[in-house]
Amino acid sequence: MALSLNSMMSFPSYKLSSKPLNLRSPRVLMASTLHSTSKEAENLKKPYSPPREVHAQVSHSMPPQKVEIFKSLDGWAEENILVHLKPVEKCWQPQDFLPEPESEGFYEQVKELRERSNELPDDYFVVLVGDMITEEALPTYQTMLNTLDGVRDETGASLTSWAVWTRAWTAEENRHGDLLNKYLYLSGRVDMKQIEKTIQYLIGSGMDPKTENNPYLGFIYTSFQERATFISHGNTARLAKEHGDLKLAQICGIIASDEKRHETAYTKIVEKLFEIDPDGTILALSDMMRKKISMPAHLMYDGRDDNLFEHFSSVAQRLGVYTARDYADILEFLVGRWNVEKLTGLSGEGRKAQDFVCGLSSRIRRLEERAQGRAKQSSIIPVSWVFGREIKV
């Protein structure tokens, strides 16, 4: 899901020292020297090429000796993280919530689905489609996890607990996009070809969430994102129920429950890192929040709308599916979940990072209130996902 926080807030950036507890390695590689100007972004987006990241990309920022921390935690992960996966035979599958194609009543079931979906407004479908497209870019997220030093799947079928988790997490997540995609197809309310093009563009664009091959940063990012998707799917469930589509509410709700279970696993990993290396972990959390959490579909493009992600975000904000307040609430939740305020024995830099992180959620809320006061007048634009019908953004 999405927020345009960059224009709302900025934080001073400072380089962390190279002390042993420093999260960053001196072997920082600049994979790109492009600056994020709109002109350069425009030049990169050619008819045969999807949008690309244009910020300076950093790789392998974790000191090599810290890789050993994650190798030593493999047994712990087996006992404490893999338990948050469900056996395939006990998992729900998309077909559990869809018309049965082998049934004589299939066409009647599709007709009933379409009748229910007719009660839902177009702006709701814009948000539901955006959620589905985000889920369908799953190959990008598995790729991101497999960039993380010390926990990546080195062979594609590694038996380490970290690799087993990544593959099984991906397999569970794969059901989300499948289910929403099939529901939207059967509803007849959306332009599936435009949606399919958007998915292809998005996967082709990839994603650099500024986690720098660093599992400290990576697991903080996934903790935040799993909670964000839990909130978003929960709110689409609520709205579907309000509009009378109880089956769609059930669909969105069951996806939200998966996201909550995955959130529990990722937050438990970060909790363990706080236990083992509180200074390194608080520096990582501060670093990630200073850079701001980029949303996984921020390079969304349909071949027509250069600002598709911002428009999708605006509709989600207006409907209350995912808002700036949710961003602050997630941070506040994680700070409490990890007992950040109670950390002791930190270095000077660690204490500064602690103060910054603990005061950030209230600062975000104040800035969001000011931004709302200065909010420009809404506009009406055509959205290709709903056959070019006009939507308020």
Side-chain angles (χ1 to χ4, degrees), residues 32-78:
S32 169
T33 57
L34 289 172
H35 301 286
S36 81
T37 65
S38 58
K39 181 71 173 175
E40 284 162 334
E42 180 180 338
N43 290 340
L44 283 171
K45 188 161 51 192
K46 300 173 183 176
Y48 53 85
S49 176
R52 299 173 183 170
E53 300 281 16
V54 295
H55 60 260
Q57 297 182 21
V58 180
S59 61
H60 303 289
S61 66
M62 184 175 70
Q65 64 269 24
K66 292 206 171 188
V67 170
E68 296 304 317
I69 291 177
F70 293 91
K71 290 183 178 179
S72 72
L73 287 175
D74 191 75
W76 174 87
E78 180 178 9

Coordinates of all heavy atoms in Angstrom, one line a residue, residues 32-78:
S32 N 24.4 2.7 -8.4 CA 23.8 3.6 -9.3 C 24.1 5.0 -8.8 O 24.1 5.3 -7.7 CB 22.3 3.5 -9.4 OG 21.6 4.5 -10.1
T33 N 24.4 5.9 -9.8 CA 24.6 7.3 -9.4 C 23.5 8.2 -9.9 O 23.7 9.4 -10.0 CB 26.0 7.8 -10.0 OG1 25.9 7.6 -11.4 CG2 27.1 7.0 -9.4
L34 N 22.4 7.6 -10.3 CA 21.3 8.5 -10.8 C 20.7 9.2 -9.7 O 20.5 8.7 -8.6 CB 20.2 7.6 -11.5 CG 20.6 7.0 -12.8 CD1 19.5 6.0 -13.2 CD2 20.8 8.0 -13.9
H35 N 20.3 10.5 -9.9 CA 19.6 11.2 -8.9 C 18.1 11.1 -9.2 O 17.7 11.0 -10.4 CB 20.0 12.7 -8.9 CG 21.5 12.8 -8.6 ND1 22.0 12.6 -7.4 CD2 22.5 13.1 -9.4 CE1 23.3 12.8 -7.4 NE2 23.7 13.1 -8.7
S36 N 17.3 11.2 -8.2 CA 15.8 11.0 -8.4 C 15.2 12.3 -8.8 O 14.5 12.9 -8.0 CB 15.2 10.4 -7.2 OG 14.9 11.3 -6.2
T37 N 15.4 12.7 -10.0 CA 14.7 13.9 -10.5 C 13.6 13.4 -11.5 O 13.7 12.3 -12.1 CB 15.6 14.8 -11.3 OG1 16.1 14.1 -12.5 CG2 16.8 15.2 -10.4
S38 N 12.5 14.1 -11.6 CA 11.4 13.7 -12.4 C 11.9 13.6 -13.9 O 11.4 12.7 -14.6 CB 10.3 14.6 -12.3 OG 10.7 15.9 -12.6
K39 N 12.8 14.4 -14.3 CA 13.3 14.4 -15.7 C 14.0 13.1 -16.0 O 13.7 12.4 -17.0 CB 14.3 15.6 -15.9 CG 14.8 15.6 -17.3 CD 13.8 16.1 -18.3 CE 14.4 16.3 -19.7 NZ 13.4 16.7 -20.7
E40 N 14.8 12.7 -15.1 CA 15.6 11.4 -15.3 C 14.6 10.2 -15.3 O 14.7 9.3 -16.0 CB 16.7 11.3 -14.3 CG 17.9 12.1 -14.6 CD 18.8 12.3 -13.4 OE1 18.3 12.2 -12.3 OE2 20.0 12.6 -13.6
A41 N 13.7 10.3 -14.3 CA 12.7 9.2 -14.2 C 11.9 9.1 -15.5 O 11.6 8.0 -16.0 CB 11.7 9.4 -13.1
E42 N 11.6 10.2 -16.1 CA 10.8 10.3 -17.3 C 11.6 9.7 -18.5 O 11.1 8.9 -19.3 CB 10.4 11.7 -17.7 CG 9.6 11.8 -19.0 CD 9.2 13.3 -19.3 OE1 9.2 14.1 -18.3 OE2 9.0 13.6 -20.4
N43 N 12.9 10.0 -18.5 CA 13.8 9.5 -19.6 C 13.9 8.0 -19.5 O 14.1 7.3 -20.5 CB 15.1 10.2 -19.5 CG 15.1 11.6 -19.9 OD1 14.1 12.1 -20.6 ND2 16.0 12.4 -19.5
L44 N 13.9 7.5 -18.3 CA 14.1 6.0 -18.1 C 12.9 5.2 -18.6 O 13.0 4.0 -18.8 CB 14.4 5.7 -16.6 CG 15.8 6.0 -16.2 CD1 15.9 5.9 -14.7 CD2 16.8 5.1 -16.9
K45 N 11.7 5.8 -18.6 CA 10.5 5.1 -18.9 C 10.2 5.2 -20.4 O 9.6 6.1 -20.9 CB 9.3 5.7 -18.1 CG 8.1 4.9 -18.2 CD 7.1 5.2 -17.0 CE 6.9 6.7 -16.9 NZ 6.2 7.1 -15.7
K46 N 10.8 4.2 -21.1 CA 10.6 4.2 -22.5 C 9.5 3.2 -22.8 O 9.1 2.4 -22.0 CB 11.9 3.7 -23.2 CG 13.1 4.7 -22.9 CD 14.4 4.1 -23.4 CE 15.5 5.1 -23.1 NZ 16.8 4.5 -23.5
P47 N 8.9 3.2 -24.0 CA 7.8 2.3 -24.4 C 8.2 0.8 -24.1 O 7.3 0.0 -23.8 CB 7.6 2.5 -25.8 CG 8.1 3.9 -26.1 CD 9.3 4.1 -25.2
Y48 N 9.4 0.4 -24.2 CA 9.8 -1.0 -24.1 C 10.4 -1.3 -22.7 O 10.9 -2.3 -22.4 CB 10.8 -1.4 -25.1 CG 12.0 -0.5 -25.2 CD1 13.1 -0.7 -24.3 CD2 12.1 0.6 -26.0 CE1 14.2 0.2 -24.3 CE2 13.1 1.5 -26.1 CZ 14.2 1.3 -25.2 OH 15.3 2.1 -25.2
S49 N 10.3 -0.3 -21.8 CA 11.0 -0.4 -20.5 C 10.1 0.1 -19.4 O 9.5 1.2 -19.5 CB 12.3 0.4 -20.5 OG 12.9 0.4 -19.2
P50 N 10.0 -0.6 -18.3 CA 9.2 -0.2 -17.2 C 9.9 0.9 -16.4 O 11.1 1.1 -16.6 CB 9.1 -1.5 -16.3 CG 10.3 -2.2 -16.6 CD 10.6 -2.0 -18.0
P51 N 9.2 1.6 -15.5 CA 9.9 2.5 -14.6 C 10.9 1.9 -13.8 O 10.8 0.7 -13.5 CB 8.7 3.0 -13.7 CG 7.5 2.8 -14.4 CD 7.8 1.5 -15.2
R52 N 12.0 2.6 -13.4 CA 13.1 2.0 -12.6 C 13.4 2.9 -11.4 O 13.1 4.1 -11.4 CB 14.3 1.9 -13.5 CG 14.2 1.0 -14.7 CD 15.4 1.1 -15.6 NE 15.2 0.3 -16.8 CZ 16.1 0.4 -17.8 NH1 17.1 1.2 -17.8 NH2 15.9 -0.4 -18.9
E53 N 14.0 2.3 -10.4 CA 14.5 3.0 -9.3 C 15.6 4.0 -9.8 O 16.5 3.6 -10.6 CB 15.2 2.1 -8.3 CG 14.2 1.1 -7.7 CD 13.3 1.6 -6.6 OE1 13.2 2.9 -6.5 OE2 12.7 0.8 -5.9
V54 N 15.6 5.2 -9.3 CA 16.6 6.2 -9.8 C 17.4 6.8 -8.6 O 18.3 7.6 -8.9 CB 15.9 7.4 -10.5 CG1 15.2 6.9 -11.8 CG2 14.8 8.1 -9.6
H55 N 17.2 6.3 -7.4 CA 18.0 6.8 -6.3 C 19.4 6.0 -6.3 O 19.5 5.0 -7.0 CB 17.3 6.6 -5.0 CG 17.0 5.2 -4.7 ND1 15.7 4.7 -4.9 CD2 17.7 4.2 -4.2 CE1 15.7 3.4 -4.5 NE2 16.9 3.1 -4.1
A56 N 20.3 6.6 -5.6 CA 21.6 5.9 -5.5 C 21.4 4.6 -4.7 O 20.8 4.6 -3.6 CB 22.6 6.8 -4.8
Q57 N 21.8 3.5 -5.2 CA 21.6 2.2 -4.6 C 22.8 1.7 -3.8 O 23.9 1.8 -4.3 CB 21.1 1.2 -5.6 CG 19.8 1.5 -6.3 CD 19.3 0.5 -7.3 OE1 19.7 -0.7 -7.2 NE2 18.5 0.9 -8.2
V58 N 22.6 1.3 -2.6 CA 23.7 0.8 -1.7 C 23.6 -0.7 -1.6 O 22.5 -1.2 -1.4 CB 23.6 1.5 -0.4 CG1 24.8 1.1 0.5 CG2 23.7 3.0 -0.6
S59 N 24.8 -1.4 -1.6 CA 24.7 -2.8 -1.4 C 25.7 -3.3 -0.3 O 26.7 -2.6 -0.1 CB 25.0 -3.5 -2.7 OG 26.3 -3.2 -3.2
H60 N 25.4 -4.4 0.4 CA 26.3 -5.0 1.3 C 26.8 -4.1 2.4 O 28.0 -3.9 2.6 CB 27.4 -5.7 0.6 CG 27.0 -6.7 -0.4 ND1 26.4 -7.9 -0.1 CD2 27.0 -6.6 -1.8 CE1 26.1 -8.5 -1.2 NE2 26.4 -7.8 -2.2
S61 N 25.8 -3.4 3.1 CA 26.2 -2.5 4.1 C 26.5 -3.1 5.5 O 27.0 -2.5 6.4 CB 25.1 -1.4 4.3 OG 23.9 -1.9 4.8
M62 N 26.1 -4.4 5.7 CA 26.3 -5.0 6.9 C 27.8 -5.5 7.1 O 28.3 -6.2 6.1 CB 25.4 -6.2 7.1 CG 25.5 -6.9 8.5 SD 24.2 -8.1 8.8 CE 24.8 -9.4 7.7
P63 N 28.4 -5.2 8.2 CA 29.8 -5.7 8.3 C 29.8 -7.2 8.2 O 28.9 -7.9 8.7 CB 30.2 -5.3 9.8 CG 29.3 -4.1 10.0 CD 28.0 -4.4 9.3
P64 N 30.8 -7.8 7.5 CA 30.8 -9.2 7.3 C 30.7 -10.1 8.5 O 30.1 -11.2 8.5 CB 32.2 -9.4 6.5 CG 32.5 -8.1 5.9 CD 31.9 -7.1 6.9
Q65 N 31.3 -9.6 9.6 CA 31.3 -10.4 10.8 C 29.9 -10.7 11.4 O 29.6 -11.6 12.1 CB 32.2 -9.8 11.9 CG 31.7 -8.5 12.4 CD 32.4 -7.3 11.7 OE1 32.7 -7.5 10.5 NE2 32.5 -6.1 12.3
K66 N 29.0 -9.8 11.0 CA 27.6 -10.0 11.5 C 26.8 -11.0 10.8 O 25.8 -11.5 11.2 CB 26.9 -8.6 11.4 CG 27.5 -7.6 12.4 CD 26.4 -6.6 12.9 CE 27.0 -5.7 14.0 NZ 26.0 -4.8 14.6
V67 N 27.4 -11.5 9.6 CA 26.7 -12.6 9.0 C 26.7 -13.8 9.9 O 25.7 -14.6 9.9 CB 27.5 -13.0 7.7 CG1 27.0 -14.3 7.1 CG2 27.4 -11.8 6.6
E68 N 27.7 -13.9 10.8 CA 27.7 -15.1 11.7 C 26.6 -15.1 12.6 O 26.2 -16.1 13.1 CB 29.1 -15.1 12.4 CG 30.3 -15.3 11.5 CD 30.2 -16.5 10.7 OE1 29.8 -17.6 11.3 OE2 30.5 -16.5 9.5
I69 N 26.1 -13.9 13.0 CA 24.9 -13.9 13.9 C 23.7 -14.7 13.3 O 23.1 -15.5 14.0 CB 24.5 -12.4 14.1 CG1 25.5 -11.7 15.0 CG2 23.1 -12.3 14.8 CD1 25.2 -10.2 15.2
F70 N 23.5 -14.5 12.0 CA 22.4 -15.1 11.4 C 22.6 -16.6 11.1 O 21.7 -17.4 11.2 CB 22.0 -14.4 10.1 CG 21.5 -13.0 10.3 CD1 22.4 -11.9 10.4 CD2 20.2 -12.7 10.6 CE1 21.9 -10.6 10.7 CE2 19.7 -11.5 10.9 CZ 20.6 -10.4 11.0
K71 N 23.8 -16.9 10.8 CA 24.2 -18.4 10.7 C 23.9 -19.1 12.1 O 23.4 -20.2 12.1 CB 25.6 -18.5 10.2 CG 25.8 -18.1 8.8 CD 27.2 -18.4 8.3 CE 27.4 -18.0 6.8 NZ 28.8 -18.3 6.4
S72 N 24.3 -18.4 13.2 CA 24.2 -19.0 14.5 C 22.7 -19.1 14.9 O 22.4 -19.9 15.8 CB 24.9 -18.2 15.5 OG 24.3 -16.9 15.8
L73 N 21.8 -18.3 14.3 CA 20.4 -18.3 14.6 C 19.6 -19.3 13.8 O 18.4 -19.4 13.9 CB 19.8 -16.9 14.4 CG 20.2 -15.9 15.5 CD1 19.7 -14.5 15.0 CD2 19.7 -16.2 16.8
D74 N 20.2 -20.1 13.0 CA 19.5 -21.0 12.1 C 18.6 -22.0 12.9 O 17.4 -22.3 12.6 CB 20.4 -21.8 11.2 CG 19.7 -22.6 10.1 OD1 19.2 -21.9 9.2 OD2 19.6 -23.8 10.2
G75 N 19.2 -22.6 14.0 CA 18.4 -23.5 14.9 C 17.3 -22.8 15.6 O 16.2 -23.3 15.7
W76 N 17.6 -21.6 16.0 CA 16.5 -20.8 16.7 C 15.4 -20.5 15.7 O 14.2 -20.6 16.0 CB 17.1 -19.4 17.2 CG 16.1 -18.5 17.7 CD1 15.6 -18.4 19.0 CD2 15.4 -17.5 17.0 NE1 14.6 -17.5 19.1 CE2 14.5 -16.9 17.9 CE3 15.4 -17.0 15.6 CZ2 13.6 -15.8 17.5 CZ3 14.5 -16.0 15.3 CH2 13.7 -15.4 16.2
A77 N 15.7 -20.2 14.4 CA 14.7 -19.9 13.4 C 13.8 -21.1 13.2 O 12.6 -21.0 13.0 CB 15.3 -19.4 12.1
E78 N 14.5 -22.3 13.2 CA 13.7 -23.5 12.9 C 12.6 -23.7 14.0 O 11.5 -24.1 13.7 CB 14.6 -24.7 12.9 CG 13.9 -26.0 12.7 CD 14.8 -27.2 12.6 OE1 16.1 -27.1 12.9 OE2 14.4 -28.3 12.2

